[in-house]
């Protein structure tokens, strides 16, 4: 059915632009072009017209961005690999920057992309970064079609093949600068033209000039209200439509009140109104918001704390192997990835085959078989023998952090303190509006001349921002401090989890102990070639004992390895040159029944068998870390301490010196560790689990707060809440103490808020505070709180000797 042509000029229902004489109609709605009408009809046919309920004219004119030929390059397979975060036959994950994303309607529409395009499985928006992550089935829809779907609804993605982070630099939003410029220009001129209202110019100006100045002021205030103050009106309308209240609602009521009173005064000839105060109010509000944003950016922790992400990998140069931080990887570098180790960047498999677990990326636990030359995506985990990869893209730590914070790995949505602050902010604004109403009634009866000034000052000066700002900025600063000292937290919510801990459970091997090898015992009954077979098999694993054995062979890749398998808590086995090699516990490597009472079993040896014959058993020297005694003494008085170890109790007598005898548990399987954590939780305890993530991933996930410890090769367990450099384990009591101090800092900000609002409101309700002065005080209070949280966090860190 051809579109109906309309000859009456109005604004477009979709994008808000002016409709020309030849605009089109669909039903009762008018559109500036067929493109906007098509977007509307797409949304209507898919039941998504709620998009228009969030905000008036929220759309973007698709005619400005839709060019089919421009996107033909997306059909190129090589380019698809460069752009996508993950690509398989059944699932593709891609992230785009969407500069046109600007409001809640945009979020609603973009997160319902699956209802617009068959094959799109899910879409998630990061509004602050203006980024969308889309999962789709390439069998149903191509990457190009996904992009064209975005274009068809007016959201052109910004794609840069030269930017590995997918965060192509968007042009800086200068809208607020223009708003300040317009408000400042009008404010200055209105102030000059308002001088006759305050001083006696009758000898210089006739009454006609004074009336003329008033009408010029009326004209000057219009762009200030329509453009400069537009965001306040828009945000307030959205909040009220959703039955919520925020700071912009109070500000908008004050602006609207002053505007209505001023227009009435001028048009009725009663006086000059409050155009000078109104324009000054909006100007200072915008200036305050601008400097507030600049302050927040300067103190932003999100950019800084990721630089402490302690993930490392083994880089190979010739015969030299060196563990480096993933930040130092370059395109073309060769890396080695061991069994169960995370792949830090998109890479090419250089030889052989590999099974890659992409559950960290896709949520599906089925391993994917990759062959030589295949692209392996960041976030995958190796399942099998050691891999040699060549870096295809530079590392994106923001991508890894985003994966880590995926909903699948989150244990809870929001902390109690955040919920409390949000609720208090809502009640606060309701209270402010009630006070403003009471103030208006009082001055209406006693002195109407002070009514508008008092009500507006009340609405402007009251500020709940400290509640909204104190928590993210306090937690952000604490995260940055902890990150510098080796504890990298998954997100800000983890600070409250850490502060609420009652019990701490330690894994022993690799956490409380370091391993040193006894070369003589290892070498005793093995032939030279057998030693190399053992080292080659061990080199595929990250386990501390495997890494000791690997050092016995300078060229483990010389031997082809088949049937390699690692059994958690037991050992590894492999076939080399037709010989079966087993390394691990005696009952794992032996084909004969194990005597539980035997001396060898009790002293904790690791056994090696070749073709079913035990050749040797060696006992790595388990040495307690130097700071364990101080660590245990510091924690004992504040927490219940437990040790869960998969090893035997050979070191029990040593550990009893520092830990309670009844809280030491040995020969614990991964399942037993998990059940122990759950038992403690059932008794009402919040439990912290600290381990290396090798045999205790389940316990780390089940705990209220899980920490994975790392050393030169950094294992990564997405179920954990934090990663701790093992060299900083002794700082654990200080980290816990600092986490508890965050609540005190937030409460301090609350006290500041109470005092500021009480003092400000006491002046405002009495009519002693000009609205433009209140407009200056409001952002100043917010910036003061941000600076307070920064300084208080630094002081708390120094008090805990972390700075």
């Amino acid at each position: 059915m051809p579109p109906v042509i309309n000859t009456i000029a109005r604004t477009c229902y979709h994008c808000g632009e002016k409709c020309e004489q030849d605009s089109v109609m669909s039903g009762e709605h008018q559109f500036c072009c067929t493109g906007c009408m098509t977007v509307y009809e797409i949304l209507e046919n898919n039941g998504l017209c709620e998009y228009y309920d969030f905000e008036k004219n929220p759309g973007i004119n698709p005619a400005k961005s839709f060019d089919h030929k421009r996107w033909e390059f997306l059909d190129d397979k090589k380019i698809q690999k460069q752009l996508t975060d993950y690509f398989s036959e059944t699932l593709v994950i891609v992230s785009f920057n969407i500069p046109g994303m600007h409001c809640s309607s945009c979020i609603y529409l973009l997160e319902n992309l699956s209802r617009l395009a068959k094959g799109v499985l899910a879409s998630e928006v990061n509004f602050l970064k203006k980024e969308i992550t889309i999962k789709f089935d390439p069998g149903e829809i191509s990457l190009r079609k996904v992009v064209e779907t975005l274009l068809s609804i007016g959201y052109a993605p910004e794609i840069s093949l030269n930017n590995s982070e997918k965060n192509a630099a968007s042009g800086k939003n200068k809208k607020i600068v223009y708003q300040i410029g317009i408000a400042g220009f009008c404010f200055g001129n209105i102030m000059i033209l308002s001088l006759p209202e305050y001083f006696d110019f009758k000898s210089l100006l006739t009454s006609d000039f004074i009336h003329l100045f008033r009408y010029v002021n009326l004209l000057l205030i219009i762009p200030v209200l329509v453009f400069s103050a537009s965001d306040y009106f828009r945000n307030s309308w959205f909040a009220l439509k959703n039955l919520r209240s925020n700071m912009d609602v109070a500000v908008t009521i004050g602006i609207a009140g002053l505007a209505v009173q001023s227009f009435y005064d001028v048009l009725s000839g009663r006086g000059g109104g409050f155009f000078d105060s109104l324009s000054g109010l909006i100007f200072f509000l915008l200036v305050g918001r601008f400097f507030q944003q600049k302050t927040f950016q300067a103190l932003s922790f999100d950019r800084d704390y990721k630089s402490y992400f302690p993930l490392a990998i083994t880089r190979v140069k010739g015969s030299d192997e060196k563990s480096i931080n993933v930040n130092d990887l370059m395109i073309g570098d060769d890396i080695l990835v061991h069994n169960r180790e995370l792949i830090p960047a998109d890479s090419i498999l250089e030889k052989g085959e590999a099974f890659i677990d992409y559950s960290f990326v896709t949520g599906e636990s089925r391993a994917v078989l990759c062959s030589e030359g295949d692209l392996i995506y960041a976030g995958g985990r190796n399942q099998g023998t050691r891999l040699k990869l060549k870096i295809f893209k530079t590392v994106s730590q923001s991508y890894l952090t985003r994966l880590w914070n995926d909903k699948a790995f989150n244990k809870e949505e929001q902390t109690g303190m955040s919920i409390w602050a949000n609720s208090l902010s809502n009640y606060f604004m309701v209270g402010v509006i009630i006070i403003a109403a009471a103030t208006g009634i009082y001055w209406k009866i006693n002195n109407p001349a002070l009514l508008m000034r008092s009500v507006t000052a009340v609405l402007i000066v009251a500020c709940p921002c400290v509640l909204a700002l104190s928590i993210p900025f306090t937690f952000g600063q604490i995260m940055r401090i902890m990150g510098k000292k080796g504890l990298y937290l998954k997100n800000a919510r983890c600070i409250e989890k850490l502060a609420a801990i009652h019990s701490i459970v330690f894994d022993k091997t690799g956490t409380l102990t370091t391993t040193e090898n006894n070369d003589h015992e290892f070498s005793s009954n093995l032939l030279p070639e057998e030693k190399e077979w053992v080292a080659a098999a061990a080199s595929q694993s990250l386990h501390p004992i495997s890494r000791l054995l690997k050092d016995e062979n300078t060229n483990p890749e010389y031997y082809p390895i088949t049937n390699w398998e690692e059994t958690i808590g037991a050992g590894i086995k492999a076939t080399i040159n037709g010989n079966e090699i087993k390394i691990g516990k005696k009952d794992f490597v032996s084909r004969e029944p194990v005597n539980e009472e035997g001396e060898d079993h009790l002293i904790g040896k690791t056994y090696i068998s070749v073709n079913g014959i035990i050749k040797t058993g060696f006992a790595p020297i388990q040495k307690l870390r130097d700071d364990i005694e101080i660590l245990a003494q510091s924690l004992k008085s504040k927490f219940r301490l437990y040790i869960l170890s998969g090893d035997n109790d050979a070191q029990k007598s040593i550990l009893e010196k520092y830990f309670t005898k009844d809280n030491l548990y040995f020969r614990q399987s991964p399942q037993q560790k998990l059940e122990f954590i759950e038992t403690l939780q059932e008794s009402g305890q919040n439990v912290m689990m600290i381990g290396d993530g090798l045999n205790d991933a389940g316990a780390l996930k089940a705990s209220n707060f899980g920490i994975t410890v790392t050393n030169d090769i950094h294992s990564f367990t997405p179920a954990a809440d934090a990663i701790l450099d093992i060299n900083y384990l002794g700082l654990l009591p200080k980290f816990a103490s600092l986490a508890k101090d965050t609540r005190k800092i937030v409460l301090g900000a609350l006290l500041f808020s109470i005092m500021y609002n009480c003092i400000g409101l006491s002046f405002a309700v009495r009519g002693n505070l000009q609205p433009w002065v209140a407009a200056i005080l409001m952002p100043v209070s917010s910036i003061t709180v941000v600076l307070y949280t920064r300084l208080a966090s630094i002081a708390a860190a120094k008090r805990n000797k972390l700075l």
Side-chain angles (χ1 to χ4, degrees):
M1 177 176 163
V4 178
I5 305 298
N6 185 63
T7 58
I8 302 175
R10 292 167 55 191
T11 57
C12 177
Y13 180 71
H14 177 69
C15 70
E17 294 188 8
K18 183 179 178 181
C19 296
E20 303 298 336
Q21 293 291 324
D22 57 348
S23 60
V24 294
M25 297 285 293
S26 178
E28 61 181 10
H29 303 302
Q30 185 174 359
F31 301 92
C32 64
C33 62
T34 55
C36 284
M37 185 186 72
T38 301
V39 175
Y40 166 77
E41 291 176 345
I42 291 173
L43 300 182
E44 184 181 38
N45 293 336
N46 289 276
L48 291 172
C49 280
E50 189 180 0
Y51 168 70
Y52 297 101
D53 295 337
F54 292 96
E55 188 173 341
K56 185 179 180 181
N57 313 125
I60 300 171
N61 190 324
K64 295 181 179 179
S65 56
F66 205 147
D67 179 0
H68 286 282
K69 291 185 178 181
R70 177 185 174 189
W71 307 100
E72 288 180 350
F73 71 95
L74 294 175
D75 291 329
D76 189 306
K77 295 293 184 182
K78 292 182 179 179
I79 291 177
Q80 290 176 6
K81 288 184 177 181
Q82 284 183 268
L83 291 175
T84 53
D85 297 327
Y86 176 79
F87 195 106
S88 71
E89 295 181 357
T90 58
L91 177 66
V92 175
I93 303 176
V94 64
S95 300
F96 292 122
N97 183 267
I98 309 290
M101 190 190 309
H102 65 282
C103 67
S104 298
S105 295
C106 302
I107 297 174
Y108 170 79
L109 182 56
L110 291 171
E111 291 200 337
N112 282 278
L113 207 60
S114 58
R115 295 167 63 181
L116 295 178
K118 183 180 179 182
V120 175
L121 305 176
S123 53
E124 184 175 349
V125 167
N126 185 324
F127 184 71
L128 294 178
K129 293 184 177 181
K130 296 187 181 299
E131 185 178 81
I132 182 172
T133 300
I134 303 172
K135 297 181 180 180
F136 65 92
D137 182 351
E140 296 280 349
I141 186 172
S142 67
L143 177 63
R144 178 181 173 183
K145 289 294 183 183
V146 169
V147 171
E148 289 181 348
T149 299
L150 291 171
L151 293 168
S152 70
I153 56 176
Y155 294 97
E158 194 171 62
I159 299 176
S160 172
L161 297 178
N162 297 321
N163 192 333
S164 63
E165 288 285 284
K166 308 278 177 45
N167 272 333
S170 349
K172 190 175 179 180
N173 187 359
K174 295 184 178 179
K175 181 181 178 181
I176 191 171
V177 176
Y178 297 142
Q179 288 175 323
I180 292 172
I182 295 294
F185 171 80
C186 295
F187 172 49
N189 284 279
I190 290 173
M191 285 291 291
I192 294 173
L193 295 174
S194 297
L195 289 176
E197 304 293 339
Y198 299 97
F199 302 99
D200 185 6
F201 283 91
K202 291 181 180 179
S203 59
L204 299 175
L205 298 173
T206 65
S207 60
D208 291 337
F209 276 103
I210 294 176
H211 285 293
L212 174 64
F213 289 169
R214 289 175 180 175
Y215 279 97
V216 172
N217 284 344
L218 186 148
L219 294 175
L220 286 171
I221 202 64
I222 292 175
V224 178
L225 292 172
V226 173
F227 177 67
S228 297
S230 59
D231 290 341
Y232 290 102
F233 288 103
R234 183 182 298 112
N235 295 339
S236 300
W237 174 244
F238 173 72
L240 293 174
K241 283 182 66 175
N242 289 274
L243 302 178
R244 292 189 291 106
S245 178
N246 58 31
M247 192 62 215
D248 284 350
V249 172
V251 171
T252 301
I253 292 173
I255 291 174
L258 275 178
V260 170
Q261 182 67 52
S262 300
F263 274 87
Y264 175 76
D265 287 347
V266 172
L267 294 175
S268 65
R270 294 179 56 184
F274 304 95
F275 290 135
D276 52 346
S277 295
L278 180 57
S279 57
L281 168 64
I282 295 172
F283 173 72
F284 286 116
L285 282 172
L286 291 170
V287 170
R289 176 170 286 187
F290 177 77
F291 281 106
Q292 184 173 291
Q293 290 176 356
K294 287 292 185 181
T295 303
F296 295 169
Q297 291 171 6
L299 300 179
S300 173
F301 67 89
D302 184 67
R303 178 184 65 252
D304 295 331
Y305 88 130
K306 286 174 183 171
S307 64
Y308 308 116
F309 194 70
L311 185 65
I313 199 72
T314 303
R315 182 172 63 188
V316 181
K317 286 188 175 182
S319 60
D320 180 44
E321 297 180 9
K322 183 179 180 181
S323 180
I324 64 168
N325 191 283
V326 292
N327 276 333
D328 298 327
L329 286 175
M330 305 291 290
I331 294 176
D333 281 352
D334 292 326
I335 61 172
L336 296 178
V337 182
H338 301 77
N339 180 46
R340 301 179 65 208
E341 193 170 13
L342 190 78
I343 296 163
D346 292 358
S347 309
I348 302 295
L349 180 60
E350 293 200 58
K351 60 185 298 186
E353 293 183 338
F355 281 95
I356 306 299
D357 175 11
Y358 282 115
S359 59
F360 190 29
V361 180
T362 66
E364 299 179 2
S365 58
R366 182 175 60 87
V368 176
L369 176 63
C370 299
S371 302
E372 183 175 333
D374 284 354
L375 179 63
I376 299 180
Y377 295 94
R381 190 185 293 277
N382 179 26
Q383 286 191 337
T385 57
R386 189 171 66 166
L387 306 178
K388 189 174 182 181
L389 308 176
K390 185 176 290 293
I391 298 296
F392 178 72
K393 289 183 184 178
T394 54
V395 174
S396 169
Q397 291 198 8
S398 59
Y399 171 66
L400 294 177
T401 304
R402 188 183 76 207
L403 290 178
W404 194 16
N405 280 279
D406 188 87
K407 295 176 182 177
F409 304 112
N410 283 339
K411 300 174 185 177
E412 57 188 74
E413 289 299 316
Q414 196 175 33
T415 58
M417 189 176 289
S418 299
I419 296 173
W420 167 79
N422 291 337
S423 300
L424 188 57
S425 294
N426 289 331
Y427 288 122
F428 179 91
M429 289 314 306
V430 173
V432 169
I433 293 173
I434 292 173
I435 293 173
T439 301
I441 294 171
Y442 176 83
W443 287 115
K444 177 68 175 177
I445 297 171
N446 294 280
N447 186 355
L450 291 176
L451 188 151
M452 288 310 302
R453 184 169 74 182
S454 301
V455 171
T456 305
V458 168
L459 292 170
I460 302 300
V461 76
C463 182
C465 297
V466 290
L467 297 174
L469 297 175
S470 59
I471 291 176
F473 275 89
T474 301
F475 285 6
Q477 183 66 21
I478 296 299
M479 286 180 70
R480 181 162 53 183
I481 291 169
M482 290 183 175
K484 287 182 178 180
K485 289 298 183 181
L487 179 65
Y488 182 84
L489 298 178
K490 184 176 185 176
N491 51 48
R493 296 191 300 272
C494 293
I495 295 177
E496 278 200 77
K497 295 181 187 179
L498 177 56
I501 292 301
H502 304 125
S503 302
I504 301 177
V505 178
F506 291 94
D507 176 46
K508 181 177 73 71
T509 305
T511 303
L512 299 179
T513 63
T514 57
T515 305
E516 297 178 0
N517 188 23
N518 185 321
D519 294 328
H520 297 293
E521 287 195 41
F522 168 60
S523 305
S524 56
N525 297 317
L526 288 172
L527 299 175
E529 189 176 30
E530 290 175 338
K531 285 178 57 180
E532 295 186 351
W533 294 344
V534 169
S539 68
Q540 316 302 313
S541 171
L542 277 175
H543 195 279
I545 294 177
S546 297
R547 291 167 57 200
L548 288 174
L549 294 176
K550 176 255 180 186
D551 293 338
E552 291 292 320
N553 188 7
T554 56
N555 188 20
E557 293 187 12
Y558 176 79
Y559 297 96
I561 301 174
T562 58
N563 302 322
W564 189 93
E565 183 181 345
E566 182 171 18
T567 303
I568 295 176
I572 60 177
K573 66 178 181 179
T575 301
I576 300 177
N577 290 346
N579 298 284
E580 183 186 59
I581 308 296
K582 286 187 176 183
I583 309 166
K585 294 183 177 180
K586 193 171 185 179
D587 55 358
F588 176 78
V589 304
S590 175
R591 294 177 180 174
E592 302 295 330
V594 175
N595 178 11
E596 293 292 336
E597 303 299 325
E599 179 184 357
D600 282 350
H601 185 75
L602 290 176
I603 63 175
K605 285 186 176 180
T606 294
Y607 293 87
I608 299 172
S609 69
V610 178
N611 296 322
I613 301 173
I614 294 180
K615 289 284 188 172
T616 185
F618 73 102
I621 300 172
Q622 297 287 335
K623 180 183 177 183
L624 287 181
R625 298 187 183 277
D626 295 335
D627 52 1
I628 293 303
E629 180 178 0
I630 299 174
L631 174 67
Q633 292 299 327
S634 300
L635 293 173
K636 265 185 178 181
S637 60
K638 300 176 182 177
F639 305 96
R640 298 176 184 176
L641 305 182
Y642 302 87
I643 291 180
L644 299 182
S645 176
D647 294 339
N648 57 60
D649 59 359
Q651 291 185 301
K652 184 175 181 179
S653 59
I654 300 175
L655 291 170
E656 285 176 353
K657 297 178 182 178
Y658 313 118
F659 298 89
T660 304
K661 179 179 180 180
D662 294 338
N663 291 348
L664 306 179
Y665 297 87
F666 298 91
R667 299 187 182 89
Q668 298 292 300
S669 68
Q671 181 61 32
Q672 287 174 318
K673 292 179 180 180
L674 170 61
E675 292 172 353
F676 184 85
I677 296 291
E678 291 175 342
T679 300
L680 291 179
Q681 291 171 329
E682 288 171 2
S683 67
Q685 299 183 52
N686 290 329
V687 184
M688 177 196 298
M689 175 69 195
I690 306 177
D692 57 13
L694 296 177
N695 298 328
D696 42 34
L700 285 167
K701 183 177 182 179
S703 65
N704 300 93
F705 185 76
I707 297 180
T708 301
V709 295
T710 67
N711 43 39
D712 58 329
I713 294 182
H714 299 320
S715 59
F716 183 84
T717 302
D721 297 286
I723 304 172
L724 175 63
D725 186 330
I726 194 62
N727 297 314
Y728 296 97
L729 180 63
L731 297 180
L732 186 61
K734 298 177 181 179
F735 290 136
S737 177
L738 182 59
K740 292 180 184 294
D741 286 342
T742 57
R743 183 178 293 272
K744 299 176 184 177
I745 295 172
V746 172
L747 291 176
L750 175 61
L751 290 175
F752 172 83
S753 172
I754 293 172
M755 289 189 293
Y756 162 79
N757 284 288
C758 287
I759 295 172
L761 287 172
S762 68
F763 281 93
V765 296
R766 290 180 293 175
N768 296 329
L769 188 65
Q770 289 286 350
W772 64 269
V773 175
I776 295 174
L777 291 176
M778 187 177 69
V780 168
S781 69
S782 299
I783 294 173
T784 301
V785 167
V786 171
L787 293 175
Y788 158 75
T789 59
R790 179 179 176 84
L791 296 175
S793 299
I794 292 174
K798 288 183 176 179
R799 187 167 58 252
N800 287 287
K801 298 182 180 179
L802 288 172
L803 284 179

